Amino acid sequence: MSDQERYKRLRDACLDGSATEAEMKQFSELLSTSEEFLDDYLEHAQQDATLQWYGFSKHLVQSDDPIESPRIWRGNRLAIALAASLLLILTTAWVYRSTSSPVAVARIESASNCKWGMSTVPTSFDSDLPAGRLRLISGVAKLKFPNVSVTLEGPVDMEILSRDRCRLHSGRVVGWVEPGGEGFVVETPCAEIVDRGTKFGVTVSDSGNAQLDVIDGKVDIRHLSTGRTITARGASSIQATQQEIEVVGNKVRPNQTPEASASPRRVSYISTSDGVGDEAYITQGEQLEGNDFPRPDNTLLVKHADGEPHWERKTILRFDLSKLDDAEILHAHLRLDGVATGMGYASLVPDATFAIYGLLEEYETNWDSDTLSWELFDGVYKDSDELDDEKVVLLGHLLIPQSQPEGRFILDDPRLARFLVQDSDSTVTLIVERITSGTAGPSYVHGFASRTHPTASPPTLRVETNRTAN
């Protein structure tokens, strides 16, 4: 029996009150694993409650026997509960309508094979829509705003905010902006898209990352975290994450001064796996992964806990810059992919600030990850958990939320580019340390993907230069 068939059998049993406790438990587990099942059940439960309210439900068993069976009583109790819930909804809706007149800002112009999820606005064809949430499970629906059409391609979770603004939480939409509709805004979790008269598509993943595809015309996209704005023209694409915004297609122009745009740029990506690059993490104490407890695979560890220096871990990165040759470095940022370590409890560490340091060139040695230790690394004091501030220079900070230790994190600070420019031997060493302390006990150990990680990217420098690099 497929999951779909099992779901339908259990759904009907729960609605008519014939489900056993074991079946109800199975049904609850099914609902927790599928939003589609949950939406379908809520829809059927609402329909069933409506029929029971008006006395037409086949599940509402009538009996002249005052001693009803437990199964029938359970079904009636469910009916009463559902009917009471529906009465509350209808009463609330009546009170709302009697005291407020929502202003229609859009309309469902067409709908094809649409299956709607829980929405806060009408979902019928040709319905006028006030501000509110729309969840389209499957099918295609076209919304008409003033001088703007937005087509939803299910599954989509979208929020109508006003006549000229919507918020795409997840899914895919296509917009057409007619004359007079310029300035229409599509908000996403990480970027704001402002149309300048165009046809465009927007896709938002479940993780909140967004992709803008300009089909025709011109669109501005502003990154919420950095404030960077890019103007995209026809046949171009831009991707945005919580940490950065990046061009993946042509006909795209960052908003910058003519002097800056006149200079040709080349972007190079340099990871710890390139050339003589290397990576390691060092531990201040004697309790080492692999000796006292398992070593996490393909992961660079970082931890700081006040009063527990033996748990101190810092990550050391070396990058080979020889591919840049003598090109002038204009901009650089560092990418780190956070990965789960399974070590310690995240709730014991608040939102954590990380500092990135550069090791001064005169103290840089040809260290090797196989033999590197706290005692052999020149950038730290040997008798404490601190860096030697005479041998390192601060390049910037990262903030990693307590609730999101995984994902891509980017250091975008002009001090990084200046540090790279000062290098003369084509290699640089960076140090990653956590400033924020965990509480006493097994607080979380943060981890970043190493060069051997099977899915995530290794530590990487993205470097913009003023001419073609080798």
Side-chain angles (χ1 to χ4, degrees), residues 107-108 129 134 141-145 148-150 152 158:
R107 179 174 58 86
I108 299 181
L129 306 179
L134 278 170
K142 185 177 181 180
L143 308 185
K144 183 65 176 178
F145 294 80
V148 177
S149 297
V150 177
L152 286 60
M158 194 185 85

Side-chain angles (χ1 to χ4, degrees), residues 98 142 382:
S98 66
K142 185 177 181 180
K382 309 310 177 188

Side-chain angles (χ1 to χ4, degrees), residues 270-438:
I270 305 169
S271 77
T272 51
S273 62
D274 291 331
V276 297
D278 206 347
E279 59 190 17
Y281 69 90
I282 55 177
T283 302
Q284 204 271 339
E286 297 180 354
Q287 294 175 297
L288 304 176
E289 290 81 10
N291 297 334
D292 301 288
F293 41 89
R295 181 188 302 274
D297 294 332
N298 317 306
T299 305
L300 302 166
L301 302 180
V302 183
K303 178 170 180 172
H304 174 63
D306 290 337
E308 297 181 316
H310 51 283
W311 293 120
E312 189 77 14
R313 274 118 174 92
K314 301 183 193 297
T315 284
I316 315 298
L317 310 172
R318 182 168 65 223
F319 295 95
D320 184 344
L321 307 182
S322 59
K323 68 186 296 183
L324 300 179
D325 197 13
D326 59 349
E328 180 186 2
I329 295 175
L330 304 174
H331 181 265
H333 72 223
L334 171 67
R335 298 180 179 181
L336 298 172
D337 279 10
V339 294
T341 64
M343 302 172 67
Y345 295 94
S347 59
L348 299 182
V349 183
D351 292 350
T353 298
F354 288 71
I356 313 298
Y357 291 87
L359 182 65
L360 296 177
E361 189 171 346
E362 55 266 36
Y363 300 105
E364 186 168 351
T365 59
N366 190 27
W367 56 269
D368 183 87
S369 56
D370 292 331
T371 58
L372 187 65
S373 66
W374 193 278
E375 292 72 21
L376 295 178
F377 184 63
D378 279 343
V380 296
Y381 290 113
K382 309 310 177 188
D383 56 354
S384 78
D385 60 1
E386 297 180 356
L387 294 173
D388 188 337
D389 55 11
E390 293 184 354
K391 298 180 179 180
V392 299
V393 57
L394 179 64
L395 304 180
H397 296 94
L398 292 174
L399 180 65
I400 297 183
Q402 180 189 62
S403 61
Q404 192 180 8
E406 302 173 49
R408 176 159 292 179
F409 303 98
I410 293 178
L411 174 70
D412 193 350
D413 192 297
R415 287 176 288 186
L416 174 60
R418 291 198 294 267
F419 178 75
L420 300 182
V421 168
Q422 294 169 2
D423 173 74
S424 62
D425 64 358
S426 297
T427 61
V428 294
T429 294
L430 305 184
I431 306 157
V432 182
E433 76 164 359
R434 193 175 81 194
I435 298 174
T436 304
S437 173

Side-chain angles (χ1 to χ4, degrees), residues 107-361:
R107 179 174 58 86
I108 299 181
E109 189 173 62
S110 64
S112 177
N113 299 317
C114 288
K115 182 177 181 181
W116 296 95
M118 297 299 291
S119 302
T120 63
V121 296
T123 56
S124 303
F125 167 68
D126 207 32
S127 294
D128 289 331
L129 306 179
R133 193 86 167 244
L134 278 170
R135 294 183 68 230
L136 178 63
I137 297 174
S138 61
V140 177
K142 185 177 181 180
L143 308 185
K144 183 65 176 178
F145 294 80
N147 299 311
V148 177
S149 297
V150 177
T151 298
L152 286 60
E153 302 177 3
V156 174
D157 183 358
M158 194 185 85
E159 189 174 355
I160 300 171
L161 300 177
S162 67
R163 294 164 56 90
D164 57 3
R165 183 178 289 262
C166 65
R167 180 179 295 131
L168 182 60
H169 294 276
S170 65
R172 185 189 303 265
V173 302
V174 176
W176 290 268
V177 175
E178 304 164 6
E182 297 86 348
F184 187 84
V185 176
V186 178
E187 297 181 4
T188 74
C190 54
E192 184 177 86
I193 297 163
V194 183
D195 186 88
R196 301 302 180 191
T198 186
K199 182 179 181 181
F200 64 95
V202 182
T203 302
V204 174
S205 68
D206 291 338
S207 63
N209 296 337
Q211 176 162 326
L212 165 67
D213 296 290
V214 181
I215 302 168
D216 185 34
K218 183 172 70 172
V219 177
D220 293 338
I221 177 169
R222 182 177 67 86
H223 191 236
L224 299 181
S225 296
T226 65
R228 184 187 180 196
T229 299
I230 291 178
T231 297
R233 302 179 186 275
S236 58
S237 298
I238 299 173
Q239 290 180 346
T241 65
Q242 294 292 340
Q243 290 77 36
E244 65 172 338
I245 183 172
E246 188 172 27
V247 175
V248 293
N250 58 1
K251 296 186 180 178
V252 176
R253 177 177 59 82
N255 290 347
Q256 54 190 341
T257 63
E259 292 77 13
S261 62
S263 178
R265 295 191 177 199
R266 168 67 182 267
V267 175
S268 300
Y269 294 88
I270 305 169
S271 77
T272 51
S273 62
D274 291 331
V276 297
D278 206 347
E279 59 190 17
Y281 69 90
I282 55 177
T283 302
Q284 204 271 339
E286 297 180 354
Q287 294 175 297
L288 304 176
E289 290 81 10
N291 297 334
D292 301 288
F293 41 89
R295 181 188 302 274
D297 294 332
N298 317 306
T299 305
L300 302 166
L301 302 180
V302 183
K303 178 170 180 172
H304 174 63
D306 290 337
E308 297 181 316
H310 51 283
W311 293 120
E312 189 77 14
R313 274 118 174 92
K314 301 183 193 297
T315 284
I316 315 298
L317 310 172
R318 182 168 65 223
F319 295 95
D320 184 344
L321 307 182
S322 59
K323 68 186 296 183
L324 300 179
D325 197 13
D326 59 349
E328 180 186 2
I329 295 175
L330 304 174
H331 181 265
H333 72 223
L334 171 67
R335 298 180 179 181
L336 298 172
D337 279 10
V339 294
T341 64
M343 302 172 67
Y345 295 94
S347 59
L348 299 182
V349 183
D351 292 350
T353 298
F354 288 71
I356 313 298
Y357 291 87
L359 182 65
L360 296 177
E361 189 171 346

Side-chain angles (χ1 to χ4, degrees), residues 61-73 76:
V61 180
Q62 302 294 332
S63 174
D64 295 328
D65 188 349
I67 304 177
E68 299 179 58
S69 70
R71 178 171 294 178
I72 293 176
W73 165 241
N76 285 338

